Amino acid sequence: MNIYGMEKLSLVDYDGHIAATLFTGGCNFRCPFCHNKTLVIGYSNQPQLEEDEIFNYLKKRKNLLTGVCISGGEPTLQPDLKEFAKKIKDLDYKIKLDTNGTAPETVYDLIHNGLIDYVAMDIKNSKEKYCITAGAQNLNLNKIMESVEMLKSDLTDYEFRTTLIKEFHTKNDMENIGDWLKGAKKLFLQHFKSSSDCINPNLNEIPIDEAETFKSILQKNILSVSLRGY
């Protein structure tokens, strides 16, 4: 596994768990608001963590940590993700996978083999504005739509999440996202904070009053809609 970073203790990356978060390198999106620019662009020039270092830490912290979050980048691009997740499960950790949903077959295989316990899938925007929001102009949405339907079928615990950006998201987009995700059990609307680590550092946040309006729109179709980071 190409692991380029580790947060050794997090209380916010995996709800209900004290977790370690691992960051893989590489992504097939170029979301302008991504705050992990170094994991998406030029990551190969960054130092990697050795697997022995990671697993030695996880073994030593079994009395404190209860979960591991595999994030990125996009973890499903890693060809040895399944074997890596099995090594973590062998230590009796719960695993959360962060994904953009472009590899439903990989996620299904991990769920089917009991190798992940929770999936957090990004919903970048309405279908109509997905490509521009994801920074992927030739994106085929079929795989993403397949991932959405798979998660909605409750094969494992999951959440959808949308990072709100002033330049990309409107009330109409929220109506369309709600129609698309209708019947989903959980969506988080995430607060965006610009920084020099963003691919485009000149984007703006959605203020809380507008985020609350978006939440009200989405609650018509989604069981639980919450603001995160506000």
Side-chain angles (χ1 to χ4, degrees):
M1 281 282 285
N2 296 320
I3 305 294
Y4 289 89
M6 175 169 61
E7 187 169 353
K8 292 187 173 182
L9 192 152
S10 172
L11 301 177
V12 298
D13 287 333
Y14 191 170
D15 287 351
H17 291 276
I18 302 172
T21 302
L22 305 173
F23 297 95
T24 63
C27 188
N28 47 355
F29 284 177
R30 292 294 183 271
C31 304
F33 53 90
C34 178
H35 62 272
N36 284 336
K37 178 172 65 175
T38 56
L39 295 175
V40 175
I41 301 172
Y43 64 92
S44 59
N45 295 322
Q46 303 296 319
Q48 291 189 45
L49 294 178
E50 297 291 338
E51 283 197 17
D52 285 348
E53 177 184 352
I54 295 168
F55 285 105
N56 286 339
Y57 176 78
L58 294 178
K59 289 173 185 176
K60 290 177 182 177
R61 294 296 181 266
K62 285 183 65 176
N63 61 332
L64 174 63
L65 303 175
T66 59
V68 175
C69 178
I70 304 177
S71 191
E74 174 50 43
T76 61
L77 295 176
Q78 303 294 321
D80 52 348
L81 175 60
K82 184 176 180 179
E83 292 75 16
F84 186 77
K86 187 177 186 308
K87 292 179 185 178
I88 297 174
K89 292 300 289 183
D90 286 344
L91 296 176
D92 294 324
Y93 281 106
K94 297 287 187 181
I95 297 179
K96 175 194 173 198
L97 178 72
D98 291 343
T99 182
N100 61 23
T102 53
E105 59 286 333
T106 299
V107 177
Y108 177 82
D109 187 46
L110 291 168
I111 295 171
H112 180 72
N113 285 282
L115 297 177
I116 53 176
D117 304 279
Y118 192 96
V119 178
M121 178 180 163
D122 294 323
I123 300 295
K124 304 299 183 180
N125 207 335
S126 61
K127 294 177 186 178
E128 295 77 8
K129 292 168 66 176
Y130 218 93
C131 292
I132 189 170
T133 310
Q137 294 304 315
N138 297 316
L139 176 64
N140 186 328
L141 284 179
N142 289 339
K143 292 291 187 182
I144 291 170
M145 292 189 289
E146 184 180 339
S147 291
V148 166
E149 293 307 311
M150 176 180 63
L151 292 178
K152 284 171 60 180
S153 71
D154 278 329
L155 292 177
T156 192
D157 201 6
Y158 71 92
E159 69 181 55
F160 296 119
R161 57 192 191 180
T162 299
T163 301
L164 298 178
I165 311 295
K166 190 71 172 176
E167 287 78 4
F168 292 121
H169 298 108
T170 65
K171 291 180 183 178
N172 186 61
D173 293 320
M174 297 304 117
E175 294 280 3
N176 291 337
I177 290 171
D179 289 341
W180 177 18
L181 301 184
K182 187 173 183 177
K185 66 181 183 181
K186 194 185 305 181
L187 171 67
F188 287 96
L189 299 177
Q190 301 187 147
H191 185 214
F192 169 72
K193 292 184 179 180
S194 183
S195 76
S196 59
D197 292 327
C198 293
I199 290 179
N200 180 350
N202 299 311
L203 299 173
N204 294 284
E205 66 180 272
I206 293 283
I208 189 168
D209 57 340
E210 194 172 352
E212 290 283 6
T213 299
F214 288 177
K215 175 182 172 181
S216 298
I217 292 170
L218 289 157
Q219 283 175 325
K220 294 183 291 185
N221 287 312
I222 297 170
L223 182 62
S224 174
V225 183
S226 303
L227 303 186
R228 177 181 279 158
Y230 278 93

